Amino acid sequence: HIKGYQKKLVVLKYLSVLMKIDEVQSTKREQRVAAHTHIKGLGLDANTGRAFSIASGLVGQEKAREAAGIVVELIRLKKMAGRALLLAGAPGTGKTALALAVAQELGPKVPFCPIVGSEVYSSEIKKTEVLMENFRRAIGLRIREQKEVYEGEVTEINLEEIANPLGGYGRTISHVVLGLRTNKGSKQLRLDPSIYEQMQREKVNVGDVIYIEASTGAVKRTGRCDHYAGEFDLEAEDYVPLPKGDVHKKKEVTQDVTLHDLDVANARPQSMSPSDVGLMSSMGPFHKQKKTEITEKLRTEINRVVNRYIDQGVAELVPGVLFIDEIHMLDIECFTYLNRALESSIAPIVIFATNRGVCTIRGTDVISPHGIPIDLLDRMLILRTMQYSLAEIIDILAIRAETESLQIAHDALGAIGNIGAQTSVRYAGQVLTPASVLARTYGREQIDITDVEQVNELFKDAKASAALLHSSTGYLA
């Protein structure tokens, strides 16, 4: 017996060596840093509307930012719908950053739809259809509904069963008795079996806070009642307070949708037989649904319904922003279509951006400013962005280094600023990360001037590469 006991001890010691519990270092979610992650707003004084020299991730361009601030106010007052703004300036002067700053100022409730001019060229649908889809994506509809709901904490769930009407030994649910309570009272409800199926899908138990829509019978579980908060030491539950008022009440529900969402929902077939569903699921890997155009007739009908809801006060139109970058990529057909779309009664605010001067309108031999027809230019407010000074480039690079959590010496920052002044801000921003990798290779956390010089020797900017190509004939030597 003693030997057997000793063997067990040896096995237990061996298992304890095998089983290792590692401590989780951090559960913090790391955010990917994009080109415009540092943009948080326009950086304007709330009282005067004047632009700070450095604020909200933006540097310089004070006049352009102040003008964009006026546009934001017009959008908030709903005075800008159906009008267009053109951001014109050299490459790397912050046109896209300015448009994204406008989106940040407007907030998440206002639709913002960014696209590039070349996106309209598709082999499946027409160019004008792509433009109209994005126009509709940029128009929001805030629907406010007064719904009769039963809301409260579940106190009981009793199933009433009867003999199966089809015969046999099985029994079927005839109805469900549900008890709900609030801080004001309680009520027992007699529910249809189909509502019980929804409760099962929502995983409703006694002690949960739910609400049931009286008109549709839709069930929504909002969380666990906070009376049960100390029930377990560890659990993954959202605790909510006990609802106030009566169990049966009228509740205002606000829903934000875009007109494109309504178009797609009404264009899709509403019902499909089980055999069709099975066929589609089995053909899933081979069958790719082709993108279809939404008819003008359907859009007109949806507009009519939307206008009726607005007149009744049920819904409110929220004109958003459609941002089209590289506008010179559009052709004459798209420009003529934009003329008509901007005159529509339901139209968003459109912001265009281009880095072209006087050039040919695509699809014609006509030369025009920014590659845009004169009649469309007449409908726009044009906002110019200027080249950055050396001091502004250094400030921008300091913000980028902070956003990317990079440590950089003051003289190294000045050296990258000089590179940006000679080449472009974009290239200077791209030098930062390789320089930090090089610094870590040499066992340093801080970027030094030697790292910047070495990276600049290893990589070529666009101007240096163009000069190299110009001096060579045929292939690069």
Side-chain angles (χ1 to χ4, degrees):
H1 289 294
I2 293 168
K3 284 183 180 178
Y5 181 69
Q6 285 175 341
K7 281 181 182 177
K8 281 182 182 177
L9 281 173
V10 170
V11 170
L12 285 169
K13 281 180 181 178
Y14 179 68
L15 285 173
S16 67
V17 171
L18 285 177
M19 288 190 294
K20 291 173 73 178
I21 298 173
D22 293 329
E23 188 181 339
V24 177
Q25 294 299 323
S26 173
T27 55
K28 189 181 176 184
R29 203 173 181 181
E30 287 192 8
Q31 186 185 5
R32 286 189 66 187
V33 178
H36 297 102
T37 305
H38 60 286
I39 306 297
K40 306 297 179 192
L42 285 168
L44 303 175
D45 189 320
N47 298 318
T48 61
R50 294 286 178 188
F52 297 110
S53 58
I54 304 170
S56 302
L58 290 176
V59 178
Q61 307 289 359
E62 285 88 352
K63 285 186 179 178
R65 282 157 57 199
E66 286 168 15
I70 294 167
V71 170
V72 167
E73 281 303 312
L74 287 170
I75 294 167
R76 284 178 181 155
L77 295 168
K78 297 180 182 175
K79 304 282 187 187
M80 185 81 185
R83 301 188 190 184
L85 177 73
L86 176 65
L87 304 176
T93 52
K95 297 182 293 297
T96 308
L98 210 57
L100 293 173
V102 168
Q104 291 281 354
E105 289 285 339
L106 291 170
K109 293 288 183 184
V110 178
F112 182 80
C113 180
I115 64 165
V116 184
S118 55
E119 281 183 42
V120 302
Y121 301 104
S122 167
S123 59
E124 291 182 334
I125 57 175
K126 296 197 293 280
K127 293 173 281 190
T128 52
E129 178 64 22
V130 176
L131 282 172
M132 182 47 75
E133 266 188 22
N134 286 291
F135 258 74
R136 306 277 285 185
R137 275 197 185 97
I139 303 165
L141 192 70
R142 190 164 293 143
I143 304 164
R144 292 188 181 88
E145 290 181 273
Q146 285 281 350
K147 290 187 177 179
E148 285 190 26
V149 295
Y150 293 92
E151 186 178 29
E153 180 200 340
V154 178
T155 54
E156 60 170 324
I157 304 171
N158 293 323
L159 308 179
E160 297 291 332
E161 294 183 339
I162 57 168
N164 195 334
L166 300 173
Y169 296 104
R171 296 177 70 79
T172 184
I173 298 168
S174 64
H175 62 273
V176 181
V177 177
L178 180 74
L180 292 177
R181 79 177 183 97
T182 63
N183 65 349
K184 201 172 180 181
S186 59
K187 193 183 278 284
Q188 272 196 338
L189 304 175
R190 186 186 169 99
L191 304 177
D192 189 77
S194 63
I195 296 176
Y196 178 64
E197 288 173 14
Q198 290 187 54
M199 287 170 62
Q200 284 180 310
R201 281 198 293 271
E202 289 281 328
K203 297 179 181 176
V204 174
N205 294 309
V206 173
D208 292 344
V209 176
I210 66 167
Y211 74 84
I212 305 169
E213 290 181 16
S215 56
T216 60
V219 179
K220 178 70 179 172
R221 180 183 182 273
T222 53
R224 188 96 173 137
C225 188
D226 56 7
H227 291 313
Y228 298 88
E231 195 175 6
F232 302 104
D233 291 331
L234 289 172
E235 59 179 327
E237 278 287 357
D238 291 329
Y239 289 102
V240 292
L242 186 71
K244 297 175 182 177
D246 296 318
V247 173
H248 182 221
K249 64 187 82 171
K250 286 187 177 180
K251 193 173 184 181
E252 189 179 82
V253 180
T254 305
Q255 190 179 5
D256 288 310
V257 294
T258 65
L259 293 187
H260 179 68
D261 295 336
L262 298 176
D263 294 343
V264 172
N266 288 283
R268 208 171 279 154
Q270 296 297 315
S271 60
M272 197 180 279
S273 67
S275 60
D276 291 340
V277 172
L279 181 66
M280 291 297 284
S281 61
S282 63
M283 289 183 67
F286 314 106
H287 178 80
K288 182 179 178 290
Q289 188 178 4
K290 193 172 182 182
K291 194 171 174 67
T292 54
E293 293 182 16
I294 297 159
T295 60
E296 193 63 35
K297 185 180 177 183
L298 177 67
R299 286 204 176 105
T300 307
E301 185 64 27
I302 288 168
N303 288 353
R304 192 174 60 79
V305 174
V306 165
N307 285 326
R308 191 172 75 238
Y309 281 171
I310 292 166
D311 293 340
Q312 291 170 358
V314 175
E316 176 193 358
L317 203 68
V318 183
V321 177
L322 172 62
F323 174 56
I324 306 178
D325 207 353
E326 310 292 344
I327 182 68
H328 54 267
M329 289 298 295
L330 299 183
D331 60 12
I332 192 69
E333 294 171 25
C334 297
F335 287 130
T336 49
Y337 187 78
L338 282 171
N339 273 327
R340 188 183 74 85
L342 285 169
E343 289 176 350
S344 171
S345 58
I346 300 177
I349 300 95
V350 187
I351 299 178
F352 301 117
T354 183
N355 54 23
R356 299 297 164 94
V358 179
C359 62
T360 309
I361 300 168
R362 186 168 175 160
T364 67
D365 296 326
V366 180
I367 293 171
S368 180
H370 311 296
I372 302 169
I374 297 295
D375 53 345
L376 184 59
L377 273 174
D378 283 344
R379 298 173 191 274
M380 297 181 188
L381 294 170
I382 301 172
L383 197 157
R384 191 181 172 198
T385 54
M386 310 301 288
Q387 291 281 7
Y388 290 111
S389 66
L390 177 59
E392 287 171 345
I393 291 170
I394 291 169
D395 289 332
I396 291 166
L397 293 170
I399 291 167
R400 283 303 300 174
E402 188 182 346
T403 307
E404 295 181 29
S405 304
L406 303 176
Q407 295 178 26
I408 183 165
H410 186 72
D411 55 347
L413 192 63
I416 298 180
N418 285 322
I419 291 168
Q422 291 164 14
T423 57
S424 68
V425 181
R426 286 174 184 164
Y427 175 73
Q430 288 170 0
V431 166
L432 281 169
T433 312
S436 71
V437 172
L438 210 58
R440 281 200 297 272
T441 306
Y442 291 124
R444 285 182 277 102
E445 286 297 319
Q446 194 179 52
I447 299 168
D448 204 351
I449 192 166
T450 54
D451 303 323
V452 176
E453 288 170 354
Q454 194 170 346
V455 167
N456 197 33
E457 286 174 10
L458 290 170
F459 299 102
K460 299 287 180 195
D461 65 278
K463 289 177 183 175
S465 180
L468 195 65
L469 288 170
H470 187 70
S471 61
S472 64
T473 53
Y475 296 98
L476 281 170

